[in-house]
Amino acid sequence: MAVSRTAAMALPLLLTMVISLTMVESKFDDVIQPSWANDHVIYDGDLLMLKLDNSSGSGFVSKSKYLYGKASAEIKLVPGDSAGTVTAFYMSSEGDNHNEFDFEFLGNRTGEPYLVQTNLYINGVGNREQRMDLWFDPTTDFHSYSVLWNPQQVVFLVDDTPIRVYSNQESTKGIAFPRDRPMAVYSSIWNADDWATEGGRVKTDWSHAPFVSTYREVKIDGCEWVDGVDWESEVKRCSESQWGKEGRYWWKEKEMMMLNVHQSHQLLWARSKHMIYDYCNDPARFPVQPAECAH
């Protein structure tokens, strides 16, 4: 079929418009990128979804690493029968002696409460699990899950309510504290039906697949690590000063180094009403209570 000269001239413009429409940037692009199973990482307008089916799970990772700061994600978890699945949001450094701060959301049978497991790895050693139920249904709306990390404490927060604190007792009691190793921020969904739901007794029902966790926001406000710069200089920049190239390091202000009275009350409430398991009170696993558990 013959094409007029006018139409022919319009084709490149039309093609450019089509390409532009298919390459619209997501608001997440400045912060994170898919880390595996890219075809299971789905952008839908202002939302991002991680999908799990019987072929693969999926995940994303931050484009930068950070030494201290706060990482948050607004997540709506897998609805319905999610038994056997785990959605994780966490920070981790690299190497065998890595540090890691974990939120792991353990799937459930329809009608059963979701459990959130937190854990810390310090110098490659974990086994610090705590489990809580939640005071809301995390599948019907978005809720914020955050980790605040500074030289004095690691705080896990749910909708800005602290649910766990790991304090720096390195100088006073010689207890290891995670520091001096930059961390990336990760999230993923995968099949863990060998342990996730009722100790692995309830398996994943793939007839309910795909399982989807949905993200409304991922926000990281921290001391961004610069690769290729002297390691000690970067540690000093992020550790010793309240100012850096990002501006003021608010997470290192005096009032951020410990919980205030209101936050302390929130923490006591959350743990007294919703704690399911605490490794600090498990003599079968730890006949001698871990040092960081003593107060």
Side-chain angles (χ1 to χ4, degrees):
M1 180 179 66
V3 180
S4 70
R5 183 172 182 273
T6 301
M9 293 176 63
L11 283 175
L13 178 60
L14 178 61
L15 182 59
T16 300
M17 293 174 62
V18 171
I19 292 174
S20 298
L21 288 172
T22 59
M23 296 179 65
V24 172
E25 288 191 0
S26 163
K27 67 179 183 179
F28 297 96
D29 289 348
D30 290 337
V31 183
I32 59 98
Q33 60 192 0
S35 55
W36 56 291
N38 293 17
D39 62 331
H40 283 50
V41 180
I42 303 164
Y43 296 89
D44 182 10
D46 286 338
L47 303 177
L48 181 152
M49 293 177 284
L50 295 184
K51 183 175 73 171
L52 165 68
D53 57 27
N54 57 8
S55 67
S56 180
S58 55
F60 63 73
V61 62
S62 61
K63 292 185 173 181
S64 298
K65 298 175 185 175
Y66 303 84
L67 183 60
Y68 304 128
K70 185 178 182 182
S72 303
E74 293 186 8
I75 311 173
K76 183 161 60 175
L77 295 173
V78 177
D81 186 347
S82 58
T85 72
V86 171
T87 299
F89 178 66
Y90 62 104
M91 302 180 68
S92 182
S93 62
E94 298 178 344
D96 294 336
N97 295 321
H98 76 293
N99 298 325
E100 184 175 328
F101 314 140
D102 296 337
F103 275 107
E104 293 179 311
F105 303 96
L106 312 183
N108 63 357
R109 292 187 285 190
T110 302
E112 296 297 320
Y114 246 94
L115 298 182
V116 55
Q117 175 170 285
T118 58
N119 197 4
L120 292 95
Y121 284 77
I122 303 172
N123 299 329
V125 179
N127 299 322
R128 296 179 175 89
E129 299 92 347
Q130 295 180 353
R131 289 187 183 184
M132 304 178 72
D133 59 23
L134 293 166
W135 49 94
F136 51 82
D137 183 346
T139 71
T140 59
D141 203 354
F142 292 92
H143 292 269
S144 176
Y145 307 94
S146 307
V147 177
L148 170 68
W149 176 37
N150 61 39
Q152 291 302 317
Q153 60 179 357
V154 179
V155 185
F156 293 80
L157 304 107
V158 176
D159 288 336
D160 288 328
T161 295
I163 65 167
R164 181 175 188 172
V165 177
Y166 187 91
S167 300
N168 187 346
Q169 304 178 74
E170 199 166 38
S171 61
T172 57
K173 298 183 179 180
I175 298 169
F177 185 80
R179 58 185 180 86
D180 296 358
R181 296 190 187 125
M183 292 189 177
V185 178
Y186 299 83
S187 194
S188 58
I189 185 171
W190 77 96
N191 179 40
D193 66 4
D194 57 332
W195 65 272
T197 307
E198 298 183 23
R201 289 189 294 273
V202 182
K203 302 301 182 182
T204 303
D205 184 348
W206 293 107
S207 69
H208 296 292
F211 304 99
V212 176
S213 287
T214 306
Y215 299 72
R216 185 167 63 184
E217 183 177 52
V218 178
K219 182 178 180 181
I220 308 169
D221 190 354
C223 185
E224 187 173 342
W225 187 265
V226 180
D227 286 325
V229 176
D230 177 72
W231 184 280
E232 292 184 0
S233 297
E234 282 298 277
V235 169
K236 183 176 182 179
R237 179 176 68 85
C238 291
S239 301
E240 297 182 4
S241 172
Q242 289 186 337
W243 289 87
K245 66 183 183 67
E246 298 88 354
R248 190 164 187 86
Y249 295 165
W250 62 268
W251 56 89
K252 293 177 63 181
E253 298 288 352
K254 183 178 179 180
E255 59 268 24
M256 304 305 297
M257 294 299 174
M258 61 185 299
L259 301 186
N260 60 36
V261 173
H262 176 63
Q263 290 172 322
S264 296
H265 289 163
Q266 288 181 310
L267 177 68
L268 288 173
W269 170 82
R271 295 174 71 81
S272 64
K273 297 294 185 180
H274 297 280
M275 179 74 76
I276 302 296
Y277 172 82
D278 184 357
Y279 78 108
C280 287
N281 301 314
D282 188 346
R285 290 181 65 198
F286 301 102
V288 177
Q289 191 180 53
E292 68 266 19
C293 297
H295 297 288

PDB file of all heavy atoms in Angstrom, residues 205-228:
ATOM      1  N   ASP A 205      -0.759 -23.579  48.610  1.00  0.00           N
ATOM      2  CA  ASP A 205      -1.803 -24.045  47.698  1.00  0.00           C
ATOM      3  C   ASP A 205      -1.677 -23.243  46.407  1.00  0.00           C
ATOM      4  O   ASP A 205      -2.125 -22.098  46.311  1.00  0.00           O
ATOM      5  CB  ASP A 205      -3.182 -23.847  48.334  1.00  0.00           C
ATOM      6  CG  ASP A 205      -4.315 -24.401  47.474  1.00  0.00           C
ATOM      7  OD1 ASP A 205      -4.064 -24.725  46.292  1.00  0.00           O
ATOM      8  OD2 ASP A 205      -5.452 -24.487  47.972  1.00  0.00           O
ATOM      9  N   TRP A 206      -1.074 -23.861  45.399  1.00  0.00           N
ATOM     10  CA  TRP A 206      -0.772 -23.125  44.172  1.00  0.00           C
ATOM     11  C   TRP A 206      -2.017 -22.791  43.353  1.00  0.00           C
ATOM     12  O   TRP A 206      -1.943 -22.000  42.403  1.00  0.00           O
ATOM     13  CB  TRP A 206       0.226 -23.908  43.325  1.00  0.00           C
ATOM     14  CG  TRP A 206       1.565 -23.989  43.988  1.00  0.00           C
ATOM     15  CD1 TRP A 206       2.138 -25.084  44.584  1.00  0.00           C
ATOM     16  CD2 TRP A 206       2.498 -22.918  44.161  1.00  0.00           C
ATOM     17  NE1 TRP A 206       3.361 -24.764  45.121  1.00  0.00           N
ATOM     18  CE2 TRP A 206       3.613 -23.445  44.869  1.00  0.00           C
ATOM     19  CE3 TRP A 206       2.508 -21.571  43.802  1.00  0.00           C
ATOM     20  CZ2 TRP A 206       4.718 -22.670  45.216  1.00  0.00           C
ATOM     21  CZ3 TRP A 206       3.593 -20.792  44.143  1.00  0.00           C
ATOM     22  CH2 TRP A 206       4.693 -21.335  44.839  1.00  0.00           C
ATOM     23  N   SER A 207      -3.157 -23.344  43.749  1.00  0.00           N
ATOM     24  CA  SER A 207      -4.388 -22.967  43.036  1.00  0.00           C
ATOM     25  C   SER A 207      -4.764 -21.516  43.330  1.00  0.00           C
ATOM     26  O   SER A 207      -5.578 -20.931  42.609  1.00  0.00           O
ATOM     27  CB  SER A 207      -5.543 -23.895  43.441  1.00  0.00           C
ATOM     28  OG  SER A 207      -5.946 -23.671  44.786  1.00  0.00           O
ATOM     29  N   HIS A 208      -4.169 -20.929  44.373  1.00  0.00           N
ATOM     30  CA  HIS A 208      -4.430 -19.527  44.701  1.00  0.00           C
ATOM     31  C   HIS A 208      -3.412 -18.583  44.067  1.00  0.00           C
ATOM     32  O   HIS A 208      -3.506 -17.370  44.245  1.00  0.00           O
ATOM     33  CB  HIS A 208      -4.425 -19.327  46.216  1.00  0.00           C
ATOM     34  CG  HIS A 208      -5.510 -20.064  46.939  1.00  0.00           C
ATOM     35  ND1 HIS A 208      -6.841 -19.745  46.806  1.00  0.00           N
ATOM     36  CD2 HIS A 208      -5.456 -21.119  47.790  1.00  0.00           C
ATOM     37  CE1 HIS A 208      -7.570 -20.560  47.554  1.00  0.00           C
ATOM     38  NE2 HIS A 208      -6.753 -21.404  48.160  1.00  0.00           N
ATOM     39  N   ALA A 209      -2.437 -19.139  43.370  1.00  0.00           N
ATOM     40  CA  ALA A 209      -1.415 -18.302  42.724  1.00  0.00           C
ATOM     41  C   ALA A 209      -2.035 -17.518  41.558  1.00  0.00           C
ATOM     42  O   ALA A 209      -3.039 -17.949  40.987  1.00  0.00           O
ATOM     43  CB  ALA A 209      -0.268 -19.176  42.244  1.00  0.00           C
ATOM     44  N   PRO A 210      -1.460 -16.375  41.187  1.00  0.00           N
ATOM     45  CA  PRO A 210      -0.239 -15.792  41.765  1.00  0.00           C
ATOM     46  C   PRO A 210      -0.501 -15.093  43.088  1.00  0.00           C
ATOM     47  O   PRO A 210      -1.581 -14.550  43.328  1.00  0.00           O
ATOM     48  CB  PRO A 210       0.204 -14.796  40.696  1.00  0.00           C
ATOM     49  CG  PRO A 210      -1.080 -14.342  40.068  1.00  0.00           C
ATOM     50  CD  PRO A 210      -1.966 -15.560  40.052  1.00  0.00           C
ATOM     51  N   PHE A 211       0.502 -15.139  43.959  1.00  0.00           N
ATOM     52  CA  PHE A 211       0.482 -14.414  45.215  1.00  0.00           C
ATOM     53  C   PHE A 211       1.203 -13.089  44.989  1.00  0.00           C
ATOM     54  O   PHE A 211       2.321 -13.072  44.474  1.00  0.00           O
ATOM     55  CB  PHE A 211       1.175 -15.229  46.309  1.00  0.00           C
ATOM     56  CG  PHE A 211       0.590 -16.601  46.504  1.00  0.00           C
ATOM     57  CD1 PHE A 211       1.194 -17.719  45.939  1.00  0.00           C
ATOM     58  CD2 PHE A 211      -0.573 -16.782  47.231  1.00  0.00           C
ATOM     59  CE1 PHE A 211       0.661 -18.980  46.111  1.00  0.00           C
ATOM     60  CE2 PHE A 211      -1.124 -18.046  47.410  1.00  0.00           C
ATOM     61  CZ  PHE A 211      -0.506 -19.149  46.845  1.00  0.00           C
ATOM     62  N   VAL A 212       0.557 -11.995  45.387  1.00  0.00           N
ATOM     63  CA  VAL A 212       1.090 -10.673  45.051  1.00  0.00           C
ATOM     64  C   VAL A 212       1.140  -9.789  46.295  1.00  0.00           C
ATOM     65  O   VAL A 212       0.131  -9.623  46.994  1.00  0.00           O
ATOM     66  CB  VAL A 212       0.239  -9.986  43.965  1.00  0.00           C
ATOM     67  CG1 VAL A 212       0.746  -8.575  43.702  1.00  0.00           C
ATOM     68  CG2 VAL A 212       0.241 -10.805  42.684  1.00  0.00           C
ATOM     69  N   SER A 213       2.318  -9.224  46.566  1.00  0.00           N
ATOM     70  CA  SER A 213       2.461  -8.164  47.554  1.00  0.00           C
ATOM     71  C   SER A 213       2.618  -6.849  46.798  1.00  0.00           C
ATOM     72  O   SER A 213       3.374  -6.773  45.822  1.00  0.00           O
ATOM     73  CB  SER A 213       3.680  -8.410  48.448  1.00  0.00           C
ATOM     74  OG  SER A 213       3.428  -9.458  49.356  1.00  0.00           O
ATOM     75  N   THR A 214       1.921  -5.820  47.274  1.00  0.00           N
ATOM     76  CA  THR A 214       1.852  -4.553  46.554  1.00  0.00           C
ATOM     77  C   THR A 214       2.490  -3.436  47.378  1.00  0.00           C
ATOM     78  O   THR A 214       2.267  -3.335  48.590  1.00  0.00           O
ATOM     79  CB  THR A 214       0.386  -4.188  46.249  1.00  0.00           C
ATOM     80  OG1 THR A 214      -0.238  -5.282  45.567  1.00  0.00           O
ATOM     81  CG2 THR A 214       0.298  -2.944  45.383  1.00  0.00           C
ATOM     82  N   TYR A 215       3.266  -2.586  46.696  1.00  0.00           N
ATOM     83  CA  TYR A 215       4.017  -1.516  47.349  1.00  0.00           C
ATOM     84  C   TYR A 215       3.526  -0.168  46.839  1.00  0.00           C
ATOM     85  O   TYR A 215       3.435   0.050  45.628  1.00  0.00           O
ATOM     86  CB  TYR A 215       5.517  -1.651  47.051  1.00  0.00           C
ATOM     87  CG  TYR A 215       6.107  -2.951  47.555  1.00  0.00           C
ATOM     88  CD1 TYR A 215       5.809  -4.153  46.923  1.00  0.00           C
ATOM     89  CD2 TYR A 215       6.928  -2.983  48.675  1.00  0.00           C
ATOM     90  CE1 TYR A 215       6.314  -5.353  47.394  1.00  0.00           C
ATOM     91  CE2 TYR A 215       7.452  -4.172  49.143  1.00  0.00           C
ATOM     92  CZ  TYR A 215       7.137  -5.356  48.503  1.00  0.00           C
ATOM     93  OH  TYR A 215       7.644  -6.543  48.967  1.00  0.00           O
ATOM     94  N   ARG A 216       3.232   0.722  47.776  1.00  0.00           N
ATOM     95  CA  ARG A 216       2.826   2.083  47.408  1.00  0.00           C
ATOM     96  C   ARG A 216       4.001   3.048  47.468  1.00  0.00           C
ATOM     97  O   ARG A 216       4.030   4.040  46.736  1.00  0.00           O
ATOM     98  CB  ARG A 216       1.697   2.564  48.328  1.00  0.00           C
ATOM     99  CG  ARG A 216       1.125   3.915  47.942  1.00  0.00           C
ATOM    100  CD  ARG A 216      -0.178   4.201  48.672  1.00  0.00           C
ATOM    101  NE  ARG A 216      -0.001   4.289  50.129  1.00  0.00           N
ATOM    102  CZ  ARG A 216      -1.002   4.446  50.980  1.00  0.00           C
ATOM    103  NH1 ARG A 216      -2.243   4.514  50.534  1.00  0.00           N
ATOM    104  NH2 ARG A 216      -0.792   4.526  52.277  1.00  0.00           N
ATOM    105  N   GLU A 217       4.965   2.742  48.331  1.00  0.00           N
ATOM    106  CA  GLU A 217       6.130   3.616  48.454  1.00  0.00           C
ATOM    107  C   GLU A 217       7.297   2.846  49.038  1.00  0.00           C
ATOM    108  O   GLU A 217       7.119   1.976  49.896  1.00  0.00           O
ATOM    109  CB  GLU A 217       5.824   4.824  49.342  1.00  0.00           C
ATOM    110  CG  GLU A 217       6.978   5.812  49.448  1.00  0.00           C
ATOM    111  CD  GLU A 217       6.636   7.044  50.261  1.00  0.00           C
ATOM    112  OE1 GLU A 217       6.157   6.893  51.397  1.00  0.00           O
ATOM    113  OE2 GLU A 217       6.869   8.156  49.743  1.00  0.00           O
ATOM    114  N   VAL A 218       8.487   3.148  48.554  1.00  0.00           N
ATOM    115  CA  VAL A 218       9.733   2.713  49.173  1.00  0.00           C
ATOM    116  C   VAL A 218      10.565   3.967  49.360  1.00  0.00           C
ATOM    117  O   VAL A 218      10.877   4.666  48.398  1.00  0.00           O
ATOM    118  CB  VAL A 218      10.491   1.693  48.301  1.00  0.00           C
ATOM    119  CG1 VAL A 218      11.816   1.319  48.967  1.00  0.00           C
ATOM    120  CG2 VAL A 218       9.646   0.443  48.071  1.00  0.00           C
ATOM    121  N   LYS A 219      10.918   4.255  50.614  1.00  0.00           N
ATOM    122  CA  LYS A 219      11.629   5.498  50.928  1.00  0.00           C
ATOM    123  C   LYS A 219      12.863   5.174  51.750  1.00  0.00           C
ATOM    124  O   LYS A 219      12.781   4.436  52.736  1.00  0.00           O
ATOM    125  CB  LYS A 219      10.714   6.451  51.691  1.00  0.00           C
ATOM    126  CG  LYS A 219      11.344   7.793  52.014  1.00  0.00           C
ATOM    127  CD  LYS A 219      10.346   8.705  52.727  1.00  0.00           C
ATOM    128  CE  LYS A 219      10.963  10.056  53.058  1.00  0.00           C
ATOM    129  NZ  LYS A 219      10.004  10.941  53.768  1.00  0.00           N
ATOM    130  N   ILE A 220      14.000   5.728  51.354  1.00  0.00           N
ATOM    131  CA  ILE A 220      15.249   5.527  52.084  1.00  0.00           C
ATOM    132  C   ILE A 220      15.866   6.895  52.343  1.00  0.00           C
ATOM    133  O   ILE A 220      16.145   7.646  51.404  1.00  0.00           O
ATOM    134  CB  ILE A 220      16.238   4.646  51.302  1.00  0.00           C
ATOM    135  CG1 ILE A 220      15.564   3.341  50.848  1.00  0.00           C
ATOM    136  CG2 ILE A 220      17.457   4.329  52.174  1.00  0.00           C
ATOM    137  CD1 ILE A 220      16.385   2.546  49.855  1.00  0.00           C
ATOM    138  N   ASP A 221      16.049   7.229  53.598  1.00  0.00           N
ATOM    139  CA  ASP A 221      16.649   8.508  53.986  1.00  0.00           C
ATOM    140  C   ASP A 221      17.857   8.174  54.860  1.00  0.00           C
ATOM    141  O   ASP A 221      17.712   7.924  56.058  1.00  0.00           O
ATOM    142  CB  ASP A 221      15.633   9.349  54.754  1.00  0.00           C
ATOM    143  CG  ASP A 221      16.119  10.781  54.972  1.00  0.00           C
ATOM    144  OD1 ASP A 221      17.285  11.065  54.629  1.00  0.00           O
ATOM    145  OD2 ASP A 221      15.335  11.595  55.489  1.00  0.00           O
ATOM    146  N   GLY A 222      19.031   8.110  54.249  1.00  0.00           N
ATOM    147  CA  GLY A 222      20.205   7.685  54.978  1.00  0.00           C
ATOM    148  C   GLY A 222      21.477   8.263  54.412  1.00  0.00           C
ATOM    149  O   GLY A 222      21.462   9.013  53.436  1.00  0.00           O
ATOM    150  N   CYS A 223      22.586   7.876  55.030  1.00  0.00           N
ATOM    151  CA  CYS A 223      23.893   8.317  54.553  1.00  0.00           C
ATOM    152  C   CYS A 223      24.299   7.417  53.394  1.00  0.00           C
ATOM    153  O   CYS A 223      24.681   6.259  53.593  1.00  0.00           O
ATOM    154  CB  CYS A 223      24.922   8.248  55.683  1.00  0.00           C
ATOM    155  SG  CYS A 223      26.537   8.900  55.220  1.00  0.00           S
ATOM    156  N   GLU A 224      24.169   7.938  52.189  1.00  0.00           N
ATOM    157  CA  GLU A 224      24.429   7.140  50.997  1.00  0.00           C
ATOM    158  C   GLU A 224      25.928   6.874  50.846  1.00  0.00           C
ATOM    159  O   GLU A 224      26.741   7.793  50.846  1.00  0.00           O
ATOM    160  CB  GLU A 224      23.884   7.858  49.764  1.00  0.00           C
ATOM    161  CG  GLU A 224      23.964   7.033  48.490  1.00  0.00           C
ATOM    162  CD  GLU A 224      23.259   7.705  47.329  1.00  0.00           C
ATOM    163  OE1 GLU A 224      22.440   8.619  47.583  1.00  0.00           O
ATOM    164  OE2 GLU A 224      23.535   7.331  46.174  1.00  0.00           O
ATOM    165  N   TRP A 225      26.258   5.604  50.733  1.00  0.00           N
ATOM    166  CA  TRP A 225      27.650   5.170  50.640  1.00  0.00           C
ATOM    167  C   TRP A 225      28.184   5.425  49.233  1.00  0.00           C
ATOM    168  O   TRP A 225      27.486   5.172  48.251  1.00  0.00           O
ATOM    169  CB  TRP A 225      27.734   3.686  50.969  1.00  0.00           C
ATOM    170  CG  TRP A 225      29.116   3.128  51.072  1.00  0.00           C
ATOM    171  CD1 TRP A 225      29.825   2.511  50.095  1.00  0.00           C
ATOM    172  CD2 TRP A 225      29.949   3.117  52.235  1.00  0.00           C
ATOM    173  NE1 TRP A 225      31.058   2.105  50.569  1.00  0.00           N
ATOM    174  CE2 TRP A 225      31.165   2.476  51.881  1.00  0.00           C
ATOM    175  CE3 TRP A 225      29.804   3.593  53.537  1.00  0.00           C
ATOM    176  CZ2 TRP A 225      32.209   2.280  52.784  1.00  0.00           C
ATOM    177  CZ3 TRP A 225      30.831   3.398  54.432  1.00  0.00           C
ATOM    178  CH2 TRP A 225      32.016   2.758  54.058  1.00  0.00           C
ATOM    179  N   VAL A 226      29.406   5.907  49.140  1.00  0.00           N
ATOM    180  CA  VAL A 226      30.025   6.174  47.845  1.00  0.00           C
ATOM    181  C   VAL A 226      31.069   5.099  47.578  1.00  0.00           C
ATOM    182  O   VAL A 226      32.090   5.021  48.270  1.00  0.00           O
ATOM    183  CB  VAL A 226      30.679   7.564  47.810  1.00  0.00           C
ATOM    184  CG1 VAL A 226      31.315   7.806  46.439  1.00  0.00           C
ATOM    185  CG2 VAL A 226      29.649   8.652  48.114  1.00  0.00           C
ATOM    186  N   ASP A 227      30.805   4.237  46.607  1.00  0.00           N
ATOM    187  CA  ASP A 227      31.779   3.204  46.230  1.00  0.00           C
ATOM    188  C   ASP A 227      33.000   3.850  45.589  1.00  0.00           C
ATOM    189  O   ASP A 227      32.904   4.867  44.913  1.00  0.00           O
ATOM    190  CB  ASP A 227      31.150   2.205  45.258  1.00  0.00           C
ATOM    191  CG  ASP A 227      30.161   1.265  45.952  1.00  0.00           C
ATOM    192  OD1 ASP A 227      30.411   0.911  47.110  1.00  0.00           O
ATOM    193  OD2 ASP A 227      29.142   0.909  45.325  1.00  0.00           O
ATOM    194  N   GLY A 228      34.137   3.219  45.801  1.00  0.00           N
ATOM    195  CA  GLY A 228      35.364   3.704  45.189  1.00  0.00           C
ATOM    196  C   GLY A 228      36.088   4.749  46.001  1.00  0.00           C
ATOM    197  O   GLY A 228      37.188   5.173  45.649  1.00  0.00           O
TER     198      GLY A 228
END
